[in-house]
Amino acid sequence: MIVFTKGISETNVLLAYVNNVVEFSSNNMLIPKRAVITIGSSVKTIYPNPSGVFYFNFKQWITSIINTDNLKDDINLDINNGYIYDWGKMFLSSAIDFKIIFTNNSEETTTKNTNWLLATTQLEHYKTNNPIDLQLNKPFLLSPTMDLNNNAYYIKYWEGFPFDIPFYNGTETNILVSNESNLLNYTFTTVSEVNRLLFSDGSITITIDDVLSLADGYNKLKLTSNQLDFYIDLEKQNGICEGHYFKWLNEKGGYNYWLFPKGNRNRKIKDLGELKNDFYNLSDTISPAIQLGKQSNDVLMVSSDILTSEQNDVLSGILDSPKIYYFTGQPFAKASYNDWIEVSLNVSDARVINAKQHQNKYSLSFEFPQRNTITI
């Protein structure tokens, strides 16, 4: 029989972008020759150490299976089509077959049913918030938790801009969202293990307020599924019609949003050089050198307002994000996924904790894609 000295959980959601190590062996007296691990049509063969123990880390393998489209966000969130959208591509439910083959060609097999989320966490956070409460039957938000709390989150929502919250709901088909600030609630029907709840697609003609009223300022939301709850301190702000709006993939596998005050935009320009063209008399020369053209791209520099610790926990996630989008649409107008362009963060270091003031502020620089120019 196959025995695991380091097993893999079948009752929790596993984070794909951290080490997930198994060590296993057989408790019989036969000599193991190799082991075969199978996920769907993908197969890995490994070999034992001198003690007959097999070691395997699933991190690289699982991430290559679950990340199939470079993490892009191409879902068209149109509130006319509903409030709930499928974000299941960030989730993988799969049986893993383990087989040990012995030197006499006999075999032993076992299966583990696993569930993976395209997400990660930090060692320090794991140790201070351990255990990370990602039970299969328990809903949670795909966003940073509030300090020392595995069950509560802070989110800021700017009315008039596209905005959604991503959450895990497991196999449950409904989630009850209650606004404890005004005692109103609404039940949403989910479509996948991981969903996105759309608050607004930019237009104010239809928003989540049509089914679940939100007050300006703070709203205490309770989300209930399978008789289990998690909480969101949702700050709603309206009346802002300008600024720079971004979304980014956070380490939990969902998108966070932030509106920065208007900042400066500079253009980086690189000369592509020239070709010598000085071959004629002065009277016949106009261009002694032929310019090859320019290469350029814009850089946007923004600064946040002074942040609370909860706001800082959310916004600091942009520093590590592999996918950042800039909103090119207009506020208070219906937006689509084509109103976003991918940009890169051009920052080599940033202060994430202000020990003296216990508040923080970010000054960030974003590089836009290379501009189209005319060259020789």
Side-chain angles (χ1 to χ4, degrees), residues 2 97 144 185 193 247 270 272 294 306 331 349 359 372:
I2 295 177
D97 296 324
N185 63 72
E193 291 91 351
K247 68 177 177 180
K270 178 182 178 182
L272 297 179
K294 307 289 186 181
I306 299 296
D349 70 275
Q359 291 179 319
N372 296 319

Side-chain angles (χ1 to χ4, degrees), residues 289-360:
I290 299 174
Q291 302 298 318
L292 296 179
K294 307 289 186 181
Q295 180 178 298
S296 66
N297 68 289
D298 285 1
V299 177
L300 176 65
M301 292 170 288
V302 298
S303 294
S304 71
D305 295 322
I306 299 296
L307 305 173
T308 66
S309 61
E310 292 81 13
Q311 292 170 339
N312 184 66
D313 288 342
V314 174
L315 187 52
S316 64
I318 201 170
L319 301 174
D320 298 322
S321 177
K323 190 71 67 172
I324 304 173
Y325 292 97
Y326 175 74
F327 183 58
T328 62
Q330 296 297 316
F332 297 95
K334 192 177 186 64
S336 76
Y337 72 93
N338 279 322
D339 290 314
W340 299 87
I341 59 172
E342 187 172 348
V343 297
S344 60
L345 182 63
N346 187 18
V347 173
S348 59
D349 70 275
R351 182 181 61 190
V352 294
I353 296 177
N354 188 332
K356 292 183 178 180
Q357 299 180 4
H358 304 290
Q359 291 179 319
N360 202 21

Side-chain angles (χ1 to χ4, degrees), residues 190-207:
T190 56
V191 294
S192 178
E193 291 91 351
V194 180
N195 302 266
R196 293 168 71 164
L197 174 57
L198 183 60
F199 281 53
S200 170
D201 60 12
S203 170
I204 58 173
T205 304
I206 304 175
T207 69

